Amino acid sequence: MVPSGPCCLLLYLLIPIFCPSQAAQGCLSRQKVLTAIRQMQQLLKGQETRFSDGIRTMKAKLSALQFSVTKPTANQRSVLSCPPLEAPRHGKKFGSKYRTDHEVHFVCQPGYQLSGSKINECTSNPCQNGGTCVDAVNRYKCICPSLWTGSHCEYPVQTDWSFSRKPRCAEIERTQHCSCDAGFRMRGTNENGLCQDVDECEVFQLKGVSRLCIHNCVNIPGSYRCTCPAAYRLLSDGKSCGDIDECATSQHNCTREATCINTGGGFQCVNPQCPQPRGNVSYVKTSPFHCERYPCPMNSKSCHQAAKTISFHYLSIPSKVKTPATLFRFATVAVPGRPGADSLRFGIVGGSSRGQFVVQRSDRRTGELTLVQPLVGPCTVEVDVDMSEYHNHTFQAKHLSKVTLFVSGNGF
């Protein structure tokens, strides 16, 4: 095969350099050889330039193709970067780019652990329904449209490894045996083992809820402790929470005219008033929670059919109380010298929620208000119940009870 092109020319130009002196008449002079070499160098430089241009063109086409494939949609074009993230308290942040598909890493100082993911990725696909960042009992939970995936709020509690300690070891029959205290478990071998704390709060839970505490469980070295929400105290059993009575301990701000009513996790200041006079019906307040009707004219039927007494009752109940639950009992008392009622009739006549209650007679002189559907707190629910007295099928009097329920946000 005969070589061709620039390589062939270079080959034929270099051969005469080695021509023997006796054949010098057929060889090129030194000047001509140097000229040929310079021409060949220029030729190669041109070839190299065209090759580099081809590479740059190919890279540009590949970049354009990549952009067309990953180009954000109309809903994503405005979401090309995420808000800056600060380093968590007692921790460090690695990563300073906040654009789409970049990551920021969090690392905590010894003795602290991170709540949520250690790696937060900036995503260009926010949630559809919107949202915000909420505090769920000191553990922060990020809800879209936060563009950072995972939680980046630091929760200052010690990690299991910060609770670790060396095992107790002894050599028995030339073999080393190591053990850990209660609440710890061995990790590693006897030679390099370590007693790591058991997180009882995580081990003993059901559907993400601790079975050890009624409210919140906190892991401590070798054990755990229970905590309660604000306005509650931990009871003697170490796991239940009891409400603090702000009214009894004078931790309220009610005025002198109002009455403090203790509720689950707080208090309410109430000052009920009697209804305004209407026609021949008017009332007088005989106690902070009781109104009585003025005597009616003899010929005023509407006055006699109006409630003779109006009483106000305030109850505090936990959220999602098990139903059916009897909340309140109504009773009638016979007046000396007057025949007592031999029949009672009850009915729900008002309030903010009717379908969740029933009222019925339980015995000859008593009726009961029963909750038949659970109430989810925190909320305030009102229900008005009237009790009519009859004697020998003749109407005698009506009594109205206005019941207000303060439903707490906790189930205890």
Side-chain angles (χ1 to χ4, degrees):
M1 178 179 293
V2 178
S4 61
C7 295
C8 176
L9 176 60
L10 179 61
L11 180 61
Y12 284 124
L13 287 173
L14 295 178
I15 288 177
I17 298 176
F18 303 99
C19 291
S21 58
Q22 62 269 25
Q25 60 181 3
C27 295
L28 296 174
S29 65
R30 182 180 297 274
Q31 183 64 33
K32 290 182 178 181
V33 171
L34 293 176
T35 302
I37 290 176
R38 285 194 292 270
Q39 291 176 351
M40 194 62 194
Q41 288 175 340
Q42 292 178 357
L43 177 63
L44 290 177
K45 185 176 181 179
Q47 292 289 342
E48 182 181 6
T49 300
R50 285 191 292 272
F51 182 78
S52 299
D53 291 341
I55 293 295
R56 284 194 294 269
T57 303
M58 181 62 69
K59 287 183 176 179
K61 291 182 178 180
L62 288 176
S63 298
L65 178 61
Q66 182 182 15
F67 178 77
S68 64
V69 173
T70 61
K71 183 171 61 175
T73 63
N75 293 332
Q76 297 171 332
R77 286 170 186 162
S78 60
V79 189
L80 297 178
S81 63
C82 288
L85 292 180
E86 298 295 332
R89 189 182 180 189
H90 307 298
K92 295 181 179 180
K93 178 191 71 173
F94 297 92
S96 58
K97 293 184 178 181
Y98 306 126
R99 295 187 67 81
T100 302
D101 297 330
H102 285 85
E103 294 180 351
V104 172
H105 295 239
F106 290 152
V107 176
C108 290
Q109 297 176 0
Y112 293 85
Q113 73 177 10
L114 196 69
S115 174
S117 174
K118 296 181 180 179
I119 301 176
N120 292 270
E121 180 183 359
C122 181
T123 174
S124 60
N125 184 23
C127 292
Q128 299 292 330
N129 298 326
T132 184
C133 183
V134 297
D135 179 354
V137 192
N138 296 327
R139 286 185 178 269
Y140 289 86
K141 180 180 180 183
C142 290
I143 303 176
C144 287
S146 173
L147 306 182
W148 289 104
T149 60
S151 173
H152 57 271
C153 299
E154 185 266 344
Y155 181 57
V157 296
Q158 291 181 293
T159 64
D160 292 342
W161 288 110
S162 66
F163 294 161
S164 301
R165 58 186 61 174
K166 293 183 179 181
R168 292 180 286 101
C169 299
E171 188 171 336
I172 303 175
E173 296 180 355
R174 299 182 180 180
T175 303
Q176 190 177 31
H177 296 271
C178 299
S179 61
C180 298
D181 295 331
F184 293 82
R185 58 187 172 188
M186 179 72 73
R187 287 294 178 90
T189 62
N190 286 331
E191 291 75 15
N192 59 1
L194 194 66
C195 291
Q196 182 185 357
D197 174 61
V198 176
D199 189 345
E200 294 85 357
C201 301
E202 181 178 353
V203 173
F204 299 98
Q205 64 177 354
L206 180 64
K207 295 181 179 180
V209 179
S210 174
R211 293 181 296 174
L212 300 174
C213 303
I214 194 173
H215 178 62
N216 187 43
C217 180
V218 178
N219 185 48
I220 59 176
S223 186
Y224 68 95
R225 64 182 177 89
C226 300
T227 61
C228 297
Y232 288 85
R233 69 182 188 280
L234 190 66
L235 299 182
S236 58
D237 62 2
K239 64 179 182 180
S240 302
C241 296
D243 176 60
I244 297 176
D245 191 340
E246 292 84 359
C247 300
T249 56
S250 299
Q251 301 180 33
H252 62 86
N253 57 359
C254 297
T255 62
R256 183 174 299 180
E257 295 78 14
T259 302
C260 179
I261 303 296
N262 184 60
T263 63
F267 63 92
Q268 294 286 339
C269 302
V270 300
N271 184 21
Q273 300 297 320
C274 299
Q276 293 295 322
R278 186 176 181 180
N280 294 326
V281 182
S282 59
Y283 293 88
V284 60
K285 196 172 185 179
T286 57
S287 72
F289 303 117
H290 192 80
C291 297
E292 291 191 11
R293 188 191 66 202
Y294 276 108
C296 295
M298 293 297 296
N299 58 348
S300 178
K301 183 177 180 181
S302 61
C303 181
H304 285 283
Q305 291 180 342
K308 184 178 181 180
T309 63
I310 300 176
S311 56
F312 302 89
H313 310 272
Y314 300 92
L315 306 176
S316 177
I317 64 173
S319 179
K320 299 179 182 179
V321 66
K322 187 177 180 180
T323 57
T326 300
L327 302 178
F328 193 79
R329 286 186 173 86
F330 310 88
T332 181
V333 179
V335 178
R338 293 182 55 186
D342 57 15
S343 178
L344 299 176
R345 297 179 185 178
F346 299 92
I348 297 177
V349 295
S352 57
S353 180
R354 296 190 180 187
Q356 295 167 311
F357 303 92
V358 295
V359 60
Q360 55 189 358
R361 178 173 170 172
S362 55
D363 57 38
R364 184 171 177 269
R365 294 183 178 274
T366 309
E368 295 178 343
L369 177 66
T370 303
L371 178 68
V372 293
Q373 293 184 11
L375 296 173
V376 180
C379 65
T380 300
V381 178
E382 298 176 348
V383 57
D384 298 340
V385 180
D386 69 359
M387 178 182 66
S388 299
E389 299 178 347
Y390 288 83
H391 181 72
N392 293 331
H393 303 287
T394 301
F395 174 79
Q396 288 190 326
K398 179 187 294 184
H399 306 274
L400 178 64
S401 297
K402 301 178 73 66
V403 182
T404 301
L405 302 179
F406 298 117
V407 186
S408 72
N410 301 296
F412 47 85

